[in-house]
Every structure is written in structure tokens, then in C-alpha cells.
């Protein structure tokens, strides 16, 4: 809650008309970068997962731009880009009194090295911040490189997008096609690091997938700059209401491996023909604490909104500060315009829930991965939960059928009689 209040106060202090607005904006960027440094670092270094164990900057640096792909055009480089020292010298000209740089097959390699420079500089700056004992020049330098990457990716000339989607720059990268979240005592609270968000979407190219990864890296800077560039922000902040919903953990109720297998064969008796293999696969995938004790924020909000959208909400449910909750949530629920914002796409269960509840929600879509998940405490009927349970069993059956295609039974041990 303190972080939310600090964020509110920091945004409220921004004055777009002030002569020192640029300094204000930089301070705000550093504030968020420092507050989220650990999460930012994890997200930035997801390129290791994305690129099969290697760094994106290194792989781009090895690119051999040896085929025609780009239609020549001239672009006007922004001042911030021209001022960066040590960049490749790109062919230029002056037209109408303006400096222009060539973007073509002849120069695309040089343009790609600008991206390499930005990513590599950010990586080195992250290490410098880690070694520093307190916030200082190191975080300012990191923020400068982050801002430059943000500017470069969102530049209206579309250089980064064209490099990634119109060339073979990342075609040779070995991008993983699946992601399996594992919850352990060391990863509780850290599973939601955005890894699922970089999985390829249906029919998506490698270039667009890498572009989405880069957009997650600059998300903080994009949000800050977008908010601060909005003239209505000061007025909006005067009327905003912020509430923190506290959801207590649920008692563990995950079925045992034996209970799961028994129920599985009751529901799908035809699978008994592969009973031994099914049990082995279930054993490999089962975890006692993988899907318990965690109500996702978007699921909790959907439950609350659905609860208070009823004509006469049940007053007997256990809610933290129910009276205040009703005052804040009910007007939004009754308006029928519930937009739930999130930093990334929803998990499979939250997306399914958003489609099945009585109320209508606008969600950011789903990456299709299942994470540890508990149902909301309010706003979801037993009927909906039973439908979800049935669908989850069907999903398990589909996974099992695919797994059986690749299942190799262990060799049998033969002990001859003496």
C-alpha cells in the first residue's frame, strides 16, 4: 500500500508546464526503476530463456545480413540518437536542411548494432547498480540507457520493428516453444516473472516474439512517459480512489496423487488401457503445493465485481472491511464497464473465469499457461467452479494423450532363475 501511495504522490508532483519537466520525468523514471530493480533485472534477462541460453545482444551481433530484405528509405535521426557516442557510422545525407540516415540492406547491419549497443550497455549498467551500495550515479546511468532503448523501440520510424519482422536477424535463434512453471519454496512469489508472456503466440514469427520481449523490458518507461504526457493526469489523480484488497491464503486442499489418478480413471475409463503409463506421467507432473494457496489479483477483482453486481449482494460473506469495499466496488460493478488492467496477459484459469462469470470484463488476453491458482473467495458460484473443474480434467486428459504419444516405458528387469 505504501508503494501505491508513493506512486500516487510521485505522479501528482509532475508538472508538464514546468521548465524543469525533463528533470522531473527523469527522477520519476529512476524512482520506479529503483523500486522495481529486481523485477526489472529478471525481466531483462529473460532473453536467456528466449534465446536458448544465450544473450539476445550477442546473437544479434553475430547476424550475417547477406540477403535483400529492406526497401531503401531515409529517416531523420532524433537528437538523442545522434548524441550517443560510439555508434556505427550510418550513411547519411542532408535534405531540406535536415540530417537523414539511410535505412536499407546496406545499412541494416549497422542499425542492428545500435540495438546491440543499447542492450549491452543496459546489461553492464545493471551489474554496476548491483555493486553499488546505494542509489546513485549507477542507477542514473542505467535509466539513461533504458530511456534510450525505449525511445529507439517506440521511434515512429519503426527501425526496430522492421529489423525484427522484415529481416532474418533473429531467424536462427532457438526460441523455446513451451514453458512449465514450477513452484518450490525458493520460487514462491517469483513465478509470475513474465516468462509465460514471451511464449510464441499462434502463428507468431520469431521476430515479433522478440519484439514483445523488448516491449516488456521498456514497459515501465513507456507507462511513465505515457502517463506524464497526458494533460488530464493531474485532474485524474485528484479524483482517483485506491483500495488494497487483502486476500488471506487458503488452507491446502490439493488432492494426493492417488486421489487424482483414481478420479482420472473414473472420469476417463478408456484411459485404463494405458494405466501404467498414465500413472508414471502423473507422478512426474504432480506436486503437493503446485496449485494451492494463491488467489490471483485479477481473479479476486473479478469475484468482487461479480459479487457486487448482484441486485442484492450477500452480506454474510467474509470480506476485509466489507462496508468500505462495497462503497468503492459497487459503483464500478453496477456501471458494467469493468476494465481489469495487468502488467501481462492472464493465466489460463483467470481467462476462463473472465469468460464464464455473469459480469462482463475487459482483460488483456491470455498466454495460456496454468500457474498455481485458487478460486476467489466471493463472486463465483459453485456451478461455475464445477464447470471449471470439469474443464481442468478435460485439459489434463488432453495433456495425457499428447504425453502418451512420446512416452517410452522403462526397460523391464529380467532376473534369470539360477
Amino acid at each position: 500500500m505504501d508503494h501505491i501511495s508513493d506512486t500516487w504522490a510521485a505522479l501528482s508532483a509532475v508538472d508538464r508546464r514546468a521548465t524543469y519537466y525533463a528533470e522531473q520525468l527523469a527522477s520519476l523514471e529512476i524512482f520506479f526503476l529503483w523500486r522495481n530493480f529486481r523485477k526489472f533485472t529478471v525481466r531483462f534477462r529473460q532473453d536467456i530463456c528466449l534465446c536458448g541460453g544465450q544473450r539476445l545482444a550477442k546473437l544479434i551481433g553475430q547476424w550475417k545480413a547477406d540477403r535483400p530484405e529492406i526497401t531503401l528509405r531515409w529517416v531523420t535521426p532524433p537528437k538523442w540518437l545522434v548524441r550517443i557516442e560510439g555508434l556505427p557510422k550510418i550513411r547519411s545525407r542532408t535534405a531540406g536542411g535536415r540530417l537523414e540516415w539511410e535505412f536499407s540492406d546496406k545499412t541494416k547491419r549497422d542499425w542492428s548494432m545500435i540495438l546491440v549497443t543499447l542492450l549491452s550497455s543496459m546489461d553492464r549498467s545493471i551489474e554496476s547498480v548491483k555493486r553499488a551500495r546505494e542509489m546513485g550515479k549507477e542507477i542514473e546511468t542505467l535509466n539513461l540507457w533504458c530511456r534510450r532503448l525505449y525511445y529507439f523501440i517506440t521511434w515512429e520510424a519503426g527501425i526496430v520493428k522492421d529489423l525484427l519482422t522484415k529481416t532474418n536477424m533473429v531467424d536462427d535463434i532457438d526460441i523455446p516453444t513451451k514453458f512449465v512453471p514450477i513452484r518450490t519454496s525458493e520460487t514462491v512469489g517469483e513465478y509470475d516473472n513474465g516468462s509465460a508472456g514471451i511464449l510464441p503466440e499462434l502463428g507468431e514469427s520469431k521476430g515479433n516474439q522478440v519484439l514483445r520481449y523488448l516491449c516488456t523490458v521498456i514497459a515501465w518507461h513507456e507507462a511513465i512517459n505515457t502517463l506524464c504526457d497526458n494533460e488530464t493526469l493531474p485532474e485524474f489523480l485528484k479524483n482517483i480512489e485506491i483500495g488494497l484488497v487483502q486476500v488471506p491464503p487458503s488452507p491446502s486442499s490439493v488432492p494426493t496423487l492417488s486421489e487424482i489418478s483414481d478420479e482420472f480413471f473414473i472420469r476417463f475409463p478408456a484411459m485404463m488401457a494405458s494405466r501404467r503409463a498414465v500413472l508414471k506421467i502423473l507422478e512426474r507432473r504432480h506436486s503437493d503445493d503446485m496449485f494451492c494457496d494463491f488467489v490471483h489479483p485479477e481473479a479476486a477483482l473479478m469475484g468482487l465485481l461479480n459479487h457486487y453486481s448482484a441486485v442484492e449482494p450477500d452480506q454474510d460473506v467474509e470480506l476485509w472491511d466489507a462496508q468500505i469495499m462495497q462503497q468503492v466496488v459497487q459503483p464500478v460493478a453496477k456501471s458494467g464497464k469493468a476494465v481489469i488492467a495487468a502488467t501481462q496477459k492472464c493465466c489460463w484459469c483467470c481467462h476462463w473465469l473472465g469468460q464464464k462469470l455473469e459480469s462482463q470484463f475487459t482483460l488483456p488476453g491470455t498466454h495460456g499457461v496454468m500457474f498455481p491458482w485458487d478460486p476467489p473467495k466471493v463472486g463465483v458460484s459453485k456451478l461455475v467452479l464445477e464447470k471449471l473443474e470439469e474443464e481442468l480434467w478435460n485439459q489434463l486428459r488432453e495433456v495425457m494423450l499428447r504425453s502418451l504419444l512420446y512416452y517410452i516405458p522403462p526397460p523391464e528387469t529380467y532376473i534369470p532363475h539360477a
Side-chain angles (χ1 to χ4, degrees), residues 120-366:
S120 301
S121 299
M122 284 176 61
D123 205 28
R124 289 192 294 270
S125 293
I126 286 173
E127 291 305 312
S128 297
V129 173
K130 285 183 175 181
R131 290 192 296 268
R133 294 183 177 273
E134 57 186 23
M135 186 170 68
K137 289 291 183 182
E138 294 82 5
I139 194 72
E140 292 178 11
T141 302
L142 173 59
N143 182 63
L144 178 61
W145 287 112
C146 290
R147 188 191 309 146
R148 287 168 172 171
L149 180 66
Y150 160 64
Y151 286 161
F152 193 44
I153 292 172
T154 59
W155 181 20
E156 61 185 11
I159 300 296
V160 174
K161 183 178 181 180
D162 284 354
L163 284 172
L164 290 170
T165 61
K166 294 183 179 180
T167 76
N168 65 339
M169 186 172 73
V170 295
D171 284 1
D172 294 333
I173 293 179
D174 184 20
I175 295 179
T177 57
K178 63 181 180 179
F179 168 78
V180 180
I182 299 176
R183 190 184 189 201
T184 67
S185 57
E186 288 78 25
T187 60
V188 171
E190 297 178 21
Y191 80 93
D192 190 17
N193 59 16
S195 300
I198 61 175
L199 282 172
E201 297 181 350
L202 186 62
E204 185 178 37
S205 67
K206 289 184 179 181
N208 199 69
Q209 191 178 354
V210 173
L211 181 60
R212 282 197 297 113
Y213 153 74
L214 291 173
C215 288
T216 67
V217 172
I218 63 169
W220 281 278
H221 283 73
E222 184 169 23
I224 294 165
N225 281 265
T226 301
L227 283 171
C228 292
D229 194 45
N230 190 335
E231 294 182 359
T232 64
L233 179 64
E235 194 63 31
F236 170 75
L237 290 174
K238 290 179 183 177
N239 301 310
I240 193 173
E241 290 186 75
I242 298 175
L244 181 64
V245 180
Q246 294 181 325
V247 181
S250 306
S252 180
S253 59
V254 176
T256 64
L257 179 59
S258 176
E259 291 171 335
I260 291 175
S261 60
D262 289 347
E263 181 67 20
F264 183 81
F265 291 120
I266 291 173
R267 289 174 177 266
F268 310 110
M271 300 295 289
M272 285 292 291
S274 305
R275 178 180 174 83
R276 185 178 178 184
V278 167
L279 291 174
K280 286 290 184 183
I281 295 170
L282 282 174
E283 185 178 355
R284 287 203 301 263
R285 291 177 175 269
H286 183 263
S287 173
D288 290 337
D289 66 348
M290 190 167 184
F291 286 93
C292 64
D293 298 346
F294 201 97
V295 179
H296 290 195
E298 51 267 60
L301 288 174
M302 284 189 285
L304 281 171
L305 289 164
N306 199 53
H307 172 72
Y308 283 113
S309 66
V311 177
E312 294 184 6
D314 186 358
Q315 301 298 324
D316 295 330
V317 296
E318 293 184 12
L319 284 173
W320 173 78
D321 213 334
Q323 186 175 359
I324 295 178
M325 192 72 69
Q326 183 169 357
Q327 292 174 356
V328 174
V329 178
Q330 196 163 36
V332 180
K334 295 292 186 182
S335 71
K337 299 177 181 179
V339 177
I340 296 179
T343 57
Q344 58 182 306
K345 293 184 177 182
C346 300
C347 75
W348 186 93
C349 290
C350 285
H351 183 70
W352 186 95
L353 188 66
Q355 294 180 318
K356 304 301 179 182
L357 291 178
E358 294 83 355
S359 301
Q360 298 298 308
F361 305 99
T362 300
L363 293 165
T366 179

Side-chain angles (χ1 to χ4, degrees), residues 44-63 112-113 115-116 119-120 123 149 153 160 164 169-171 173 175 206-207 209-215 217:
F44 177 69
R45 290 184 172 162
Q46 281 176 352
D47 64 332
I48 298 173
C49 299
L50 184 67
C51 301
Q54 300 190 64
R55 302 309 302 270
L56 178 61
K58 180 181 178 181
L59 293 176
I60 293 177
Q62 296 170 348
W63 177 41
S112 73
M113 292 308 296
L115 182 57
V116 169
L119 292 172
S120 301
D123 205 28
L149 180 66
I153 292 172
V160 174
L164 290 170
M169 186 172 73
V170 295
D171 284 1
I173 293 179
I175 295 179
K206 289 184 179 181
Q209 191 178 354
V210 173
L211 181 60
R212 282 197 297 113
Y213 153 74
L214 291 173
C215 288
V217 172

Side-chain angles (χ1 to χ4, degrees), residues 20-34:
Y20 52 89
Y21 171 67
E23 290 79 4
Q24 274 192 321
L25 187 60
S27 297
L28 196 59
E29 290 171 343
I30 292 170
F31 167 78
F32 282 106
L33 188 58
W34 181 253

